[in-house]
Amino acid sequence: MDVMPKWADALLIPLISIAIAFVISAGVIVAIGEDPMAALNTMVTGALGSSYGWGYTLYYTTNFIFTGLAVSVAFHARMFNIGGEGQAMLGGVGVALVCLFIPFPHWSVALPVALIGGALFGAAWAAIPAYLQAKRGSHIVITTIMFNFIAGSLLVYLLVEVLKPPGAMDPATAKFAASTHLPTFQDMFSFGEKPAFRGAPANVTFFFALVSCFAVWLLIWRTRLGYAIRAYGHSEPAALYAGISPTRIIMIAMLISGGLSGMMAINTVMGEAERLVLNSVEGAGFIGIAVALMGRSHPLGVLLAALLFGFLYQGGAELSLWTNVPRELIVVIQALVILFTGALDNMVRMPLEKLFLLFRRKQPEPATTSPKPAE
Amino acid sequence: MSETTSNGGAASVAAPAIELKGISKAFGPVQANKDIAIRVMPGTIHGIIGENGAGKSTLMSILYGFYKADSGQIFINGKETTIPDSQAAIGAGIGMVFQHFKLVENFTVLENVVLGAEEGARLMPSLSKARKLLTELAAEYELNVDPDKKIEDIGVGMQQRVEILKALYRKAEILILDEPTGVLTPSEADHLFRILKGLKDEGKTIILITHKLREIMNVTDTVSVMRRGEMTATVKTRNTSPEELAELMVGRKVLLNVVKLPATPYAKVLEVENLRVKDDSGVERLKGVSLSVCGGEIVGIAGVAGNGQSELLEVLGGYRRAKGKVHLNGEPIDLTGRKSDGQSRREKGIAHVPEDRQREGLILDFHAWENVAFGYHNAPEYQKNRWLMDNRAIRKDTVGKMERFDVRPPIPSLTAKNFSGGNQQKIVLAREIERNPELLLVGQPTRGVDIGAIEFIHQQLVALRDRGKAILLVSVELDEIMSLADRIIVMFDGQIMGERIAGQTDERELGLLMAGVTDTGTSPLAQSPAGAMRVGNPGQGR
């Protein structure tokens, strides 16, 4: 039998991890002479207390859903794709090219084409490390992280030398045409006098992110391809035995992963900035790793973890705005959450498993009637 | 519980070499050892027998200081002793030969013997002392090894002798051997048993852990039987029989021999011609193998592990490239191109029960029902529509398969790793056999499987044969080959050493072939009737 019930594994461990991270964060805030309760209050009201706050939280959440799903899909094929950052940058280039050079009559036409553009560029950027892994055995972790740097430099080159409009001073493309502007939550949900989500960047992409969660769930748990991806991820020798081609699975999983990272650019480049700037990804590619780890590579878990990190991002920004807690400390808090949910998983898991065992042994042992326990 | 009769007059005064009292050990909810009591008299060979998971290895690990018992006492030569680690065990005179040898591959025999027991900072004195001892021991007990050969250059039989020498070099008086014959040919095993008897005559105490009843009957003085963590009986070997021991191990009467009618072979289903395989490092693993399997017969491939049998199965199963020709029912099988994968093989009607079910045959973290679709996940009956799989249909199919193959517990949603070895194997067999394949490839069908399940698995294979299907069986258990196969092919060093009709050969003859002794054809047994007799590459052996 598994030591712990599923719900404990999926919910209890992350919750305890977050709680520990928050407690230590509170200690850090106390140490610099601030009031942790006030800080928490600022974060909660700033991120969740108004439609404006929600507008930002959900904007960040959207980014993290895409990058989190990207890491998850690759993870199911036991590929640790940490190149989400670079793939999202290239996705941004794809989206920008589509928006700059194709005259769209309406955003609803522009969105699907831009999606394909972003996904294609992101997937193409993931394809090279995937090919090197599948055919040459170059480790995907090394190649994808290297490709982040290459993507960064490539983006600088493109923005400074190629895509910058003549005469402009900052490394960015021209503003996209108004017909490609995506409707924000403000456009969609403001009824009557008072506008909701005023000025917040959350836009229609959020709903597309939710659809992506469902699509990834279908792919992984309901299709033959997903079955093959999971089988390969669990055991390569078994996959070979079953006639599942490792090369094919590595390529496909990484292409999907890169595509998902690339789609993130819809939210940042097309939805928010409405032009391609240098740091449009803002580390979301790396947060995606934490989101996937915390979400146990399950789309629902990714969604929840993305919400948490969206809250941390927005709440952190508010915190540095309204209190004396410096901006760097927000990063410390985020890092603590990542540390405890991702890296120190076993620290919580082991004692919890022991606790469950203790609890189970107290119950009358059904071993005499039940079948023999596993060896 | 334990019979305490002594071993002759001389030993009756001596305290037992090892006495365990009330040893218990639990891993989480699993009680691996429950109140174990055992007495091992000095100067005897004491067998411990039991199924996988019965707790034999746990008990020995406690004795060797790898685990700490939850409760209980250990007495060595009558003195109560605590064994917190393996150093303490060595200090108490206990030596252990593990199933998987713990040798440094690129060290010489001598360096391995001394490793961990060097005296002082300089290596030379220890080495020359060890060399002297090795020469003495070699003469005394047939423990002949070449002290300057590297481990990677010597055979498994000699590697095992190095392990024994390591223990003796550390002045072990009590030697524990865990499944020592798993990797040996019958003659190597006989050699080992001669060594053990010699050591026993010198007054050493030997504990032999095994699941092979024949070995217990041949070499031990006393035998203890374990079942589900308990010591169920300790008896004098000469007062018992294999049937009684099997019953004690399983807890019910067991049929040790396969009941089957003579085979009625039909047309040739599988024809293999001149198959050659190189492994990843370029070493030729199959050196021109030719064989055929007819419908309605079981052809057994005998041989010590690592002589090309695995590669043969992998080639036929579609996941190793090879040169040569393979035909199934007269149709050529692709060995190198796009159609040389497991999916194409399954479409042709080749099913495969792989040698290592945990590594290849199952995804241990998948549910049982997901494993039932494994390899057949593209089968039309498992699809809901063009895009989605029909998980409900797979689960329903699993319920039926579990019932027909007596998988326990019959819970489709249980994760594969939570089934016992025998039940895992039944899941694989149910999946492969119920496809009603033209050819079934079976590797080590009963490795790590409890005796009760072995009986069932053999029955299923014979039933498939009787439905007119061809079965190619690879097993390192010679007993299994001899009782299950209709024809026996012996492989050595990637070649076929000879072929015999089951029932017209014996273990000694097969053992010689397995050791690479070239088939001279002079044995009267080799002159069997019918053209079914082919001898692969006579005269090309080493």
Side-chain angles (χ1 to χ4, degrees):
Chain A
M1 289 296 284
D2 296 323
V3 181
M4 282 194 298
K6 258 208 170 111
W7 60 267
D9 186 51
L11 280 175
L12 209 54
I13 291 181
L15 284 179
I16 294 175
S17 302
I18 294 168
I20 296 174
F22 277 166
V23 167
I24 296 181
S25 304
V28 175
I29 292 173
V30 169
I32 60 166
E34 294 286 327
D35 177 5
M37 285 321 287
L40 183 66
N41 193 29
T42 311
M43 283 182 81
V44 171
T45 44
L48 310 173
S50 63
S51 67
Y52 169 84
W54 272 102
Y56 268 96
T57 302
L58 292 181
Y59 167 73
Y60 292 123
T61 301
T62 308
N63 289 344
F64 302 151
I65 289 176
F66 279 118
T67 52
L69 287 178
V71 176
S72 301
V73 170
F75 217 68
H76 279 290
R78 209 173 11 122
M79 291 289 113
F80 198 16
N81 176 17
I82 54 175
E85 194 82 4
Q87 289 147 19
M89 284 182 207
L90 263 287
V93 173
V95 170
L97 290 178
V98 165
C99 290
L100 285 171
F101 295 111
I102 302 177
F104 289 108
H106 190 257
W107 69 264
S108 59
V109 187
L111 180 62
V113 180
L115 265 174
I116 294 168
L120 273 182
F121 270 67
W125 203 245
I128 306 165
Y131 177 82
L132 290 174
Q133 168 78 65
K135 288 287 182 191
R136 290 275 169 270
S138 319
H139 203 286
I140 199 93
V141 169
I142 310 290
T143 45
T144 48
I145 203 160
M146 291 304 180
F147 265 65
N148 285 340
F149 292 101
I150 302 174
S153 306
L154 185 65
L155 191 64
V156 170
Y157 169 76
L158 286 176
L159 287 179
V160 172
E161 303 287 340
V162 184
L163 293 172
K164 184 167 65 97
M169 294 304 287
D170 60 336
T173 66
K175 210 76 164 136
F176 299 160
S179 60
T180 66
H181 292 178
L182 296 178
T184 60
F185 278 18
Q186 186 182 348
D187 301 336
M188 286 187 288
F189 298 110
S190 295
F191 309 107
E193 295 290 291
K194 222 173 125 214
F197 298 101
R198 190 212 290 265
N203 58 67
V204 70
T205 320
F206 174 70
F207 299 104
F208 188 73
L210 294 183
V211 172
S212 298
C213 280
F214 181 69
V216 167
W217 177 80
L218 267 186
L219 168 77
I220 296 293
W221 275 282
R222 286 293 181 274
T223 67
R224 276 166 281 167
L225 176 62
Y227 182 93
I229 287 177
R230 283 186 297 135
Y232 172 76
H234 279 293
S235 168
E236 180 167 352
L240 278 172
Y241 154 79
I244 295 167
S245 157
T247 313
R248 186 168 164 266
I249 296 297
I250 291 174
M251 288 306 294
I252 292 180
M254 283 301 290
L255 287 177
I256 296 174
S257 178
L260 281 165
S261 291
M263 283 185 209
M264 190 204 104
I266 295 292
N267 192 42
T268 54
V269 176
M270 200 176 172
E272 199 252 347
E274 293 171 351
R275 58 179 188 148
L276 181 61
V277 296
L278 255 188
N279 67 337
S280 66
V281 183
E282 290 180 295
F286 290 116
I287 299 287
I289 299 167
V291 167
L293 281 176
M294 194 172 165
R296 298 273 181 279
S297 299
H298 191 288
L300 188 64
V302 165
L303 175 63
L304 294 174
L307 261 173
L308 172 76
F309 277 90
F311 158 76
L312 283 176
Y313 247 59
Q314 171 56 13
E318 290 287 318
L319 199 59
S320 58
L321 196 62
W322 299 112
T323 65
N324 291 329
V325 179
R327 176 82 197 144
E328 286 69 29
L329 202 69
I330 315 304
V331 181
V332 170
I333 294 173
Q334 287 162 358
L336 280 169
V337 172
I338 296 177
L339 185 69
F340 278 96
T341 55
L344 297 180
D345 185 65
N346 273 345
M347 201 179 80
V348 177
R349 183 182 298 272
M350 296 291 187
L352 207 62
E353 278 183 353
K354 274 197 183 131
L355 210 69
F356 270 95
L357 276 180
L358 213 67
F359 183 67
R360 188 176 298 169
R361 219 176 290 169
K362 273 184 196 156
Q363 295 170 338
E365 213 175 301
T368 45
T369 50
S370 78
K372 193 179 144 202
E375 283 158 15
Chain B
M1 256 212 236
S2 61
E3 191 186 319
T4 54
T5 41
S6 57
N7 180 46
S12 65
V13 283
I18 293 178
E19 182 169 15
L20 303 179
K21 278 185 187 168
I23 296 281
S24 292
K25 173 78 188 169
F27 297 102
V30 182
Q31 191 77 34
N33 282 165
K34 222 180 293 177
D35 197 24
I36 301 277
I38 186 174
R39 281 173 154 219
V40 180
M41 301 311 289
T44 64
I45 299 182
H46 193 116
I48 295 183
I49 194 163
E51 299 194 307
N52 291 288
K56 297 167 295 190
S57 296
T58 306
L59 187 65
M60 290 308 120
S61 299
I62 289 170
L63 195 51
Y64 201 61
F66 280 171
Y67 298 138
K68 195 177 171 300
D70 297 337
S71 61
Q73 295 164 292
I74 301 173
F75 296 88
I76 308 280
N77 298 323
K79 272 209 312 259
E80 184 166 2
T81 317
T82 53
I83 302 178
D85 53 32
S86 54
Q87 282 301 321
I90 293 167
I94 300 173
M96 182 119 171
V97 176
F98 292 92
Q99 195 174 356
H100 303 285
F101 305 144
K102 309 218 182 286
L103 298 168
V104 183
E105 289 271 310
N106 53 353
F107 273 22
T108 64
V109 169
L110 208 55
E111 286 166 334
N112 267 287
V113 168
V114 173
L115 184 68
E118 308 90 343
E119 291 153 23
R122 284 169 57 240
L123 202 54
M124 281 321 285
S126 311
L127 283 181
S128 51
K129 190 182 145 202
R131 187 184 296 276
K132 196 162 146 268
L133 189 80
L134 252 50
T135 334
E136 287 170 21
L137 291 171
E140 211 171 332
Y141 306 111
E142 279 190 78
L143 270 165
N144 34 343
V145 290
D146 184 343
D148 298 312
K149 273 251 167 67
K150 285 189 176 169
I151 295 298
E152 57 199 6
D153 298 331
I154 63 178
V156 274
M158 199 183 277
Q159 290 182 9
Q160 191 170 52
R161 295 202 281 278
V162 176
E163 284 283 9
I164 296 174
L165 286 168
K166 264 169 70 180
L168 295 178
Y169 181 74
R170 287 157 181 74
K171 303 199 167 54
E173 288 298 315
I174 301 158
L175 204 56
I176 305 171
L177 294 105
D178 190 3
E179 299 282 0
T181 58
V183 289
L184 303 182
T185 63
S187 66
E188 281 175 318
D190 287 342
H191 185 172
L192 171 71
F193 292 142
R194 283 201 304 277
I195 294 171
L196 294 185
K197 280 177 177 156
L199 290 170
K200 176 185 104 168
D201 293 341
E202 286 292 305
K204 307 246 191 256
T205 310
I206 289 154
I207 298 181
L208 181 68
I209 303 168
T210 180
H211 68 278
K212 292 183 186 169
L213 292 166
R214 198 160 39 87
E215 290 170 7
I216 289 285
M217 296 308 294
N218 283 351
V219 294
T220 62
D221 301 304
T222 317
V223 53
S224 296
V225 184
M226 287 189 76
R227 183 170 86 232
R228 294 191 187 181
E230 288 180 82
M231 196 64 85
T232 48
T234 298
V235 289
K236 289 261 151 213
T237 309
R238 62 171 181 273
N239 299 336
T240 187
S241 66
E243 287 76 17
E244 189 193 5
L245 288 177
E247 199 181 327
L248 285 168
M249 275 165 74
V250 183
R252 64 178 171 84
K253 282 229 182 296
V254 190
L255 279 176
L256 284 180
N257 291 313
V258 184
V259 183
K260 58 168 191 172
L261 297 167
T264 48
Y266 306 104
K268 276 179 191 169
V269 171
L270 175 75
E271 274 182 277
V272 176
E273 280 172 66
N274 198 22
L275 205 61
R276 291 179 179 274
V277 168
K278 278 189 183 155
D279 68 7
D280 302 333
S281 49
V283 178
E284 199 162 43
R285 291 293 177 176
L286 289 182
K287 302 172 178 172
V289 165
S290 301
L291 58 89
S292 70
V293 185
C294 298
E297 72 168 347
I298 300 177
V299 172
I301 308 254
V304 181
N307 276 298
Q309 308 97 311
S310 308
E311 285 78 5
L312 178 64
L313 283 184
E314 285 166 13
V315 168
L316 296 176
Y319 51 110
R320 189 178 276 279
R321 303 282 159 107
K323 281 186 197 149
K325 278 188 196 145
V326 176
H327 285 84
L328 186 78
N329 287 331
E331 267 184 70
I333 296 282
D334 190 357
L335 294 179
T336 47
R338 287 185 61 90
K339 287 282 178 190
S340 64
D341 70 333
Q343 287 297 308
S344 309
R345 292 290 198 276
R346 284 171 177 81
E347 280 161 23
K348 293 241 181 212
I350 300 178
H352 184 185
V353 177
E355 289 187 291
D356 191 338
R357 65 178 158 272
Q358 302 206 332
R359 217 171 88 90
E360 296 184 341
L362 293 166
I363 304 277
L364 289 180
D365 288 326
F366 271 16
H367 300 292
W369 64 268
E370 285 174 301
N371 273 300
V372 161
F374 190 52
Y376 301 99
H377 50 282
N378 291 324
E381 65 269 30
Y382 291 156
Q383 315 303 324
K384 195 184 278 174
N385 51 42
R386 253 189 88 186
W387 306 101
L388 301 180
M389 290 177 87
D390 191 348
N391 290 350
R392 191 173 300 164
I394 302 173
R395 272 192 286 259
K396 204 169 146 235
D397 192 27
T398 306
V399 171
K401 283 188 163 67
M402 285 182 142
E403 194 184 302
R404 289 188 292 277
F405 276 75
D406 190 32
V407 177
R408 276 174 282 179
I411 306 170
S413 62
L414 199 63
T415 313
K417 64 178 174 216
N418 290 325
F419 288 92
S420 72
N423 284 304
Q424 287 178 346
Q425 188 72 320
K426 283 183 196 167
I427 293 173
V428 177
L429 275 166
R431 178 180 78 205
E432 303 298 330
I433 287 182
E434 294 216 334
R435 287 276 146 188
N436 209 18
E438 287 301 303
L439 168 69
L440 180 68
L441 309 169
V442 192
Q444 321 296 352
T446 55
R447 177 187 280 169
V449 168
D450 33 281
I451 291 190
I454 288 177
E455 192 185 345
F456 181 84
I457 289 168
H458 284 172
Q459 282 166 1
Q460 293 299 321
L461 292 176
V462 171
L464 183 71
R465 180 200 77 165
D466 291 344
R467 291 206 298 272
K469 305 301 181 183
I471 297 177
L472 184 66
L473 166 76
V474 166
S475 175
V476 291
E477 302 274 351
L478 200 48
D479 289 346
E480 177 163 87
I481 294 274
M482 288 176 64
S483 62
L484 205 53
D486 303 307
R487 253 187 316 134
I488 299 171
I489 291 172
V490 184
M491 278 186 75
F492 173 76
D493 194 28
Q495 301 175 52
I496 291 181
M497 298 306 294
E499 184 173 322
R500 296 288 182 273
I501 302 289
Q504 295 181 16
T505 182
D506 57 19
E507 195 171 287
R508 204 191 61 81
E509 189 187 26
L510 292 175
L512 281 175
L513 291 173
M514 281 165 73
V517 178
T518 309
D519 191 357
T520 55
T522 52
S523 158
L525 296 171
Q527 259 103 73
S528 65
M533 198 68 225
R534 271 183 321 283
V535 174
N537 302 327
Q540 281 185 28
R542 297 205 275 214

